[in-house]
Amino acid sequence: MVLGLLMGDGSIPVQPDGSNGVFHVPMVNQQFLEWYDHQMGLFTTGVSLKKTAEELAENNRESGFSPNAKAENYHDMYSVWSRSHPYFTRLRGWYESGTKRIPEDFELTPKIAKFWYISDGFLDVNRNRTPRAEIRTHTESDRSDFLLDLFREHGFDPNFRRGTIRFLREKTRSFLNWMGNPPPGFEYKWVLNSRKRYDRLKAQAYGEARAF
């Protein structure tokens, strides 16, 4: 789980006192984080509220990122911190260049890909076409061949466009099956045959009041 999440939203901040590294996962998907915290057991310290939707909207207004940001268009942000551990210190090696980079000798597995996908991936859902799985990776845009080779080694042939790995629509089901069952909170990213079910599961995952 850790490696896949580190490829996405996860991070290992520098520890100013030189102590062992800690792993941080921030997300709006509280359901998943509760499950993840339980799976990690004693290695994590629980789910906490990082920022409310109102605070996120206010920050974006004040920074100029989104001058008209409204809280109704945001979700509360939660996070899970690990306890310090030498394993996370070793993973700080991903930051040797000054930014987080996947190691050149990295080997992708279905489980690692799954947690990368739930973190940075999504379904390109169009009412008139079969959904396509995609993974955003703007910080690695200069290494598109390297990223694509991670999947080519497993028989997939995605393309890369605008900082995004894009799987063929006709291969998306095979890709999802290869990764295995989704973790709680991200079932909607595996729904290909029903836009209504996709919308319902996504709304449930993010605690939205609307029902379908």
Side-chain angles (χ1 to χ4, degrees), residues 1-5 7 102 105-117 135 149-151 153-154 156 167 175-180:
M1 287 191 297
V2 169
L3 291 177
L5 291 171
M7 295 171 80
I102 303 169
D105 61 351
F106 191 78
E107 295 184 6
L108 193 67
T109 67
K111 186 174 183 179
I112 292 173
K114 178 193 299 188
F115 288 94
W116 185 18
Y117 173 67
I135 301 175
D149 283 343
L150 293 175
F151 295 99
E153 292 178 359
H154 297 282
F156 301 103
F167 293 84
F175 171 60
L176 297 177
N177 289 341
W178 173 71
M179 292 187 293

Side-chain angles (χ1 to χ4, degrees), residues 52-101:
T52 65
E54 290 79 8
E55 290 171 331
L56 291 170
E58 181 179 2
N59 288 348
N60 284 341
R61 287 195 302 270
E62 292 180 349
S63 68
F65 178 77
S66 181
N68 300 316
K70 297 180 180 180
E72 63 194 52
N73 297 322
Y74 290 78
H75 297 92
D76 293 343
M77 176 73 74
Y78 299 89
S79 68
V80 172
W81 289 89
S82 77
R83 303 183 191 281
S84 61
H85 195 277
Y87 175 65
F88 302 125
T89 302
R90 292 195 296 272
L91 289 178
R92 274 292 306 173
W94 285 39
Y95 294 83
E96 284 182 353
S97 66
T99 59
K100 185 171 63 177
R101 306 280 279 181

Side-chain angles (χ1 to χ4, degrees), residues 4-209:
L5 291 171
L6 182 57
M7 295 171 80
D9 293 328
S11 65
I12 304 175
V14 173
Q15 298 302 296
D17 61 356
S19 59
N20 278 318
V22 295
F23 186 52
H24 179 222
V25 183
M27 277 190 187
V28 298
N29 195 320
Q30 184 182 11
Q31 182 182 357
F32 168 75
L33 287 182
E34 295 284 359
W35 175 85
Y36 163 73
D37 179 60
H38 177 75
Q39 295 297 307
M40 292 291 285
L42 296 176
F43 282 101
T44 50
T45 60
V47 179
S48 60
L49 177 66
K50 185 177 182 181
K51 285 190 176 182
T52 65
E54 290 79 8
E55 290 171 331
L56 291 170
E58 181 179 2
N59 288 348
N60 284 341
R61 287 195 302 270
E62 292 180 349
S63 68
F65 178 77
S66 181
N68 300 316
K70 297 180 180 180
E72 63 194 52
N73 297 322
Y74 290 78
H75 297 92
D76 293 343
M77 176 73 74
Y78 299 89
S79 68
V80 172
W81 289 89
S82 77
R83 303 183 191 281
S84 61
H85 195 277
Y87 175 65
F88 302 125
T89 302
R90 292 195 296 272
L91 289 178
R92 274 292 306 173
W94 285 39
Y95 294 83
E96 284 182 353
S97 66
T99 59
K100 185 171 63 177
R101 306 280 279 181
I102 303 169
E104 291 287 346
D105 61 351
F106 191 78
E107 295 184 6
L108 193 67
T109 67
K111 186 174 183 179
I112 292 173
K114 178 193 299 188
F115 288 94
W116 185 18
Y117 173 67
I118 62 120
S119 184
D120 279 354
F122 62 99
L123 286 177
D124 178 11
V125 180
N126 185 302
R127 294 188 183 277
N128 300 316
R129 304 183 69 180
T130 302
R132 173 176 60 208
E134 303 188 7
I135 301 175
R136 291 193 183 95
T137 176
H138 294 295
T139 58
E140 299 269 8
S141 292
D142 59 318
R143 307 167 73 199
S144 59
D145 285 339
F146 164 72
L147 295 174
L148 295 177
D149 283 343
L150 293 175
F151 295 99
R152 289 169 178 156
E153 292 178 359
H154 297 282
F156 301 103
D157 190 24
N159 59 64
F160 193 87
R161 184 181 180 188
R162 297 178 181 176
T164 304
I165 301 167
R166 310 192 318 163
F167 293 84
L168 298 175
R169 296 182 189 278
E170 59 269 26
K171 295 295 183 180
T172 287
R173 185 176 296 279
S174 295
F175 171 60
L176 297 177
N177 289 341
W178 173 71
M179 292 187 293
N181 294 330
F186 284 106
E187 292 90 348
Y188 71 94
K189 290 189 178 184
W190 267 252
V191 176
L192 301 179
N193 55 5
S194 172
R195 178 58 186 269
K196 183 177 181 179
R197 183 166 179 260
Y198 170 89
D199 289 339
R200 175 173 55 81
L201 289 175
K202 185 176 181 180
Q204 289 177 353
Y206 295 104
E208 296 177 3

